Amino acid sequence: MTSLDTLPIPRVPLTSETHEHAWRTESRHPTSDGTVLYVRCGVCGSRRVDLQEHPHTPPVAVSADLGRPRS
Ligand SMILES: [Zn+2]
């Protein structure tokens, strides 16, 4: 009989809870609302979409952390 309680090893996925994402801009696309930035974390590979409304303001995240691509 197998029991799931015999191996109390915590599974800790590599998420934003375990490290601070190191976002790198992969591509940028000028739109009427500003520049849309597609960024990816160099640590875990998560992706996010940012919008920079003005060249002199920092970009803000317009999407949630999209997670790592599944393959
Ligand atoms: Zn990350």
Side-chain angles (χ1 to χ4, degrees):
M1 178 175 177
T2 56
S3 171
L4 296 177
D5 297 329
T6 54
L7 292 174
I9 301 174
R11 295 179 59 193
V12 182
L14 195 62
T15 67
S16 58
E17 296 177 6
T18 56
H19 72 283
E20 187 168 346
H21 290 304
W23 298 116
R24 294 185 310 189
T25 302
E26 286 203 313
S27 61
R28 54 179 62 220
H29 305 275
T31 71
S32 58
D33 291 328
T35 302
V36 174
L37 304 172
Y38 290 87
V39 298
R40 190 159 80 110
C41 175
V43 177
C44 70
S46 290
R47 293 170 185 274
R48 200 179 68 182
V49 180
D50 288 358
L51 174 66
Q52 187 172 23
E53 293 188 26
H54 191 275
H56 298 297
T57 60
V60 294
V62 294
S63 81
D65 184 344
L66 300 178
R68 282 177 287 176
R70 301 175 189 277
S71 58

